């Protein structure tokens, strides 16, 4: 792997991709400039995908030179990409410290979803997830979260790739537990929904969590976007075995916190429950009935996810017949239930297959 070399000048510069509009306004005030400069620069960065101050023609030459000396616009770099038979594209993105994360672009007829990562690795420890088996390295910075969208949209913008649309939807379902990096995640979402950032609707962004109770209860105070809960079990005994985080925050505590969030939210009427289907582990008819009972007081819709293989795992995916039976039972209890169509599993880009240690894949 080619190592990225950084000079002292680079290390001392401020990365503007780390800043929401509010922080960028403060930055410009701190260097003796009017705060409206933040809007001008954000438009160049997020609407024109410009990373060179000298090209920002509506800024004075003096300001452009000043910014070049103290600031930088630096995103993760594409180290590797692979295209699935279904059109899904997996990107391995390299950070400035040479760590990597995986990001997945999922094209559909009327939209394009980007599954982004929030941490290098993950310390939640779900037994059925490839990311967790590699351990945890560190949280991603704001620029490394927002930069996943920026670098991919930038390619589409400048290459004018036919039949490839800009990212329209964001799911925080890549590597890591978003709520354990909540400060940087919220700051990145502020940029995503800003008119002068990516201008996404809040409804087009989904935050997935394994259930960090204290953060879920306060999440509305930070940001109000759709929430998905990775539940994956119908009782605590089972969830303790496959998701060790349950020993800290059990199912009832998590669901109570979800109801608190839903009552405060202006845009969320239901939560999405994610349930990975593991053969002979959590896929019986009794599990389905137990899950329905668990969720009877939680406004929710349920996504059933066929488990995706990764090397060294002891698990197998439930049969198609078992998944359909499980779904039908939940529907009888009145739940909107979908069986997720896995995308990109032929290139290890599907749910639960993402890794960060590229030494293990090359």
């Amino acid at each position: 792997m080619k190592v990225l070399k950084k000079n002292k000048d680079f290390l001392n510069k401020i990365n503007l991709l780390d800043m929401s509009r509010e922080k960028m306004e403060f930055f410009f005030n701190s260097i003796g400039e009017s705060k409206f400069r933040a809007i001008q620069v954000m438009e160049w960065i997020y609407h024109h995908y410009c990373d060179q101050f000298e090209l920002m023609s509506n800024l004075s030459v003096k300001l452009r030179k000043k910014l070049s000396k103290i600031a930088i616009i630096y995103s993760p770099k594409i180290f590797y990409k692979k295209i699935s038979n279904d059109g899904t594209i997996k990107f391995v993105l390299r950070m400035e410290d040479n760590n990597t994360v995986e990001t997945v672009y999922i094209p559909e007829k009327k939209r394009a979803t980007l599954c982004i990562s929030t941490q290098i690795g993950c310390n939640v420890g779900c037994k059925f997830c490839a990311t967790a088996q590699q351990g945890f390295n560190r949280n991603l910075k704001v620029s490394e979260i927002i930069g996943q969208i920026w670098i991919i949209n930038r390619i589409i913008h400048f290459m004018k790739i036919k039949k490839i649309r800009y990212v329209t939807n964001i799911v925080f379902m890549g590597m890591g537990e978003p709520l354990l990096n909540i400060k940087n995640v919220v700051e990145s979402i502020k940029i995503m929904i800003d008119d002068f950032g990516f201008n996404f609707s809040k409804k087009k962004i989904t935050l997935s969590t394994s259930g960090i109770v204290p953060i879920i209860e306060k999440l509305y105070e930070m940001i109000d976007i759709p929430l998905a809960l990775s539940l994956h079990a119908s009782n605590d005994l089972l969830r303790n075995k496959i998701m060790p985080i349950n020993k800290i925050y059990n199912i009832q505590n998590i669901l109570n916190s979800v109801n608190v969030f839903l009552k405060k939210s202006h845009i969320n009427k239901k939560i999405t429950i994610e349930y990975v289907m593991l053969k002979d582990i959590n896929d019986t008819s009794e599990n389905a009935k137990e899950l329905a009972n668990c969720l009877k007081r939680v406004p929710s819709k349920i996504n059933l996810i066929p488990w995706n293989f990764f090397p060294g795992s002891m698990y197998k995916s439930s049969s198609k017949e078992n998944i359909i039976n499980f779904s039908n039972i939940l529907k009888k209890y009145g739940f909107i239930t979908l069986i997720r169509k896995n995308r990109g599993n032929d290139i290890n880009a599907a749910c639960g297959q993402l890794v960060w240690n590229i030494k293990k894949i090359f």
Side-chain angles (χ1 to χ4, degrees):
M1 183 179 86
K2 184 179 178 182
V3 176
L4 177 67
K5 294 181 179 179
K6 300 174 289 181
N7 57 38
K8 187 177 180 181
D9 185 49
F10 177 96
L11 291 170
N12 289 332
K13 288 185 176 181
I14 298 165
N15 191 353
L16 297 189
L17 287 183
D18 278 315
M19 298 182 183
S20 62
R21 193 201 310 189
E22 181 183 13
K23 289 194 172 181
M24 202 177 292
E25 287 175 347
F26 181 84
F27 164 73
F28 276 103
N29 275 336
S30 73
I31 62 171
E33 299 288 340
S34 298
K35 69 178 186 179
F36 78 87
R37 297 296 186 190
I39 290 175
Q40 291 179 309
V41 172
M42 286 185 73
E43 284 188 308
W44 280 106
I45 295 173
Y46 297 107
H47 294 186
H48 302 290
Y49 298 95
C50 178
D51 61 356
Q52 300 176 60
F53 296 115
E54 59 266 29
L55 299 179
M56 298 181 180
S57 55
N58 58 348
L59 304 184
S60 68
V61 173
K62 182 180 178 181
L63 177 54
R64 281 182 260 171
K65 288 181 178 179
K66 183 194 286 190
L67 289 173
S68 295
K69 289 179 180 178
I70 63 175
I72 196 169
I73 299 162
Y74 184 86
S75 75
K77 306 304 178 190
I78 295 174
F79 175 75
Y80 170 85
K81 74 173 182 179
K82 193 165 186 178
I83 303 175
S84 166
N85 291 328
D86 64 27
T88 298
I89 306 174
K90 177 170 74 171
F91 294 91
V92 178
L93 299 179
R94 187 176 63 186
M95 308 297 115
E96 61 186 81
D97 63 359
N98 291 300
N99 273 302
T100 59
V101 299
E102 296 193 342
T103 302
V104 182
Y105 176 90
I106 307 167
E108 298 174 74
K109 285 185 178 180
K110 296 183 179 180
R111 64 182 184 181
T113 300
L114 195 67
C115 179
I116 64 175
S117 297
T118 55
Q119 296 179 310
I120 299 174
C122 184
N123 58 5
V124 171
C126 301
K127 304 297 183 183
F128 49 83
C129 176
T131 308
Q133 308 319 304
Q134 289 200 315
F136 175 75
N137 185 289
R138 66 172 174 84
N139 285 331
L140 291 181
K141 296 185 288 188
V142 174
S143 56
E144 294 169 332
I145 298 172
I146 206 74
Q148 294 171 63
I149 309 168
W150 189 85
I151 190 65
I152 291 164
N153 265 358
R154 189 174 193 264
I155 293 170
I156 297 167
H157 180 80
F158 284 112
M159 293 186 70
K160 296 180 171 61
I161 305 171
K162 291 182 180 180
K163 297 182 181 179
I164 299 289
R165 66 174 73 242
Y166 288 103
V167 175
T168 62
N169 294 64
I170 300 294
V171 290
F172 284 88
M173 295 182 184
M175 294 162 42
E177 166 53 65
L179 298 194
L180 293 180
N181 188 17
I182 190 61
K183 182 179 178 182
N184 290 344
V185 166
V186 168
E187 199 70 12
S188 69
I189 293 171
K190 287 179 181 178
I191 298 170
M192 293 177 198
I193 63 177
D194 195 295
D195 292 346
F196 300 101
F198 288 114
N199 195 26
F200 287 119
S201 162
K202 287 182 179 180
K203 294 181 180 180
K204 302 289 186 180
I205 304 170
T206 301
L207 184 63
S208 178
T209 178
S210 59
I212 312 301
V213 169
I215 307 298
I216 293 173
E217 290 178 345
K218 297 179 181 178
L219 188 59
Y220 173 75
E221 300 170 10
M222 307 177 208
I223 201 78
D224 188 15
I225 62 170
L227 192 64
L229 173 64
S230 294
L231 193 59
H232 306 312
S234 57
N235 62 68
D236 284 323
L237 185 62
L238 174 56
R239 199 168 192 262
N240 287 347
K241 291 178 181 178
I242 63 175
M243 297 182 71
I245 191 72
N246 199 69
K247 296 174 186 177
I248 303 173
Y249 307 114
N250 66 33
I251 291 175
Q252 194 55 57
N253 287 340
I254 295 169
L255 296 181
N256 287 344
S257 70
V258 164
N259 277 332
V260 170
F261 173 78
L262 290 175
K263 286 177 182 177
K264 293 181 177 179
S265 174
H266 290 304
I267 67 171
N268 291 282
K269 303 301 180 185
K270 295 177 183 287
I271 187 173
T272 299
I273 300 294
E274 296 170 319
Y275 195 97
V276 67
M277 299 297 295
L278 301 168
K279 183 180 179 182
D280 300 328
I281 303 291
N282 65 353
D283 65 344
T284 67
S285 296
E286 286 306 309
N287 289 135
K289 294 172 186 176
E290 199 170 36
L291 180 62
N293 187 56
C294 262
L295 297 174
K296 63 185 178 182
R297 293 185 177 86
V298 182
S300 55
K301 58 182 179 179
I302 303 168
N303 279 347
L304 301 180
I305 308 168
W307 179 79
N308 293 294
F309 170 82
F310 63 86
S313 177
M314 59 174 277
Y315 296 104
K316 293 182 180 180
S317 179
S318 304
S319 67
K320 184 177 179 180
E321 292 73 21
N322 265 20
I323 296 174
I324 292 172
N325 178 61
F326 201 97
S327 174
N328 287 338
I329 291 171
L330 292 171
K331 287 177 180 177
K332 286 179 181 177
Y333 278 88
F335 290 94
I336 297 170
T337 307
L338 301 173
I339 299 172
R340 185 185 293 177
K341 181 181 178 182
N342 282 336
R343 301 286 301 274
N345 51 4
D346 58 319
I347 57 169
N348 295 322
C351 180
Q353 292 183 317
L354 305 187
V355 297
W356 66 269
N357 190 341
I358 61 172
K359 292 178 182 178
K360 295 187 178 183
I361 59 173
F362 291 99

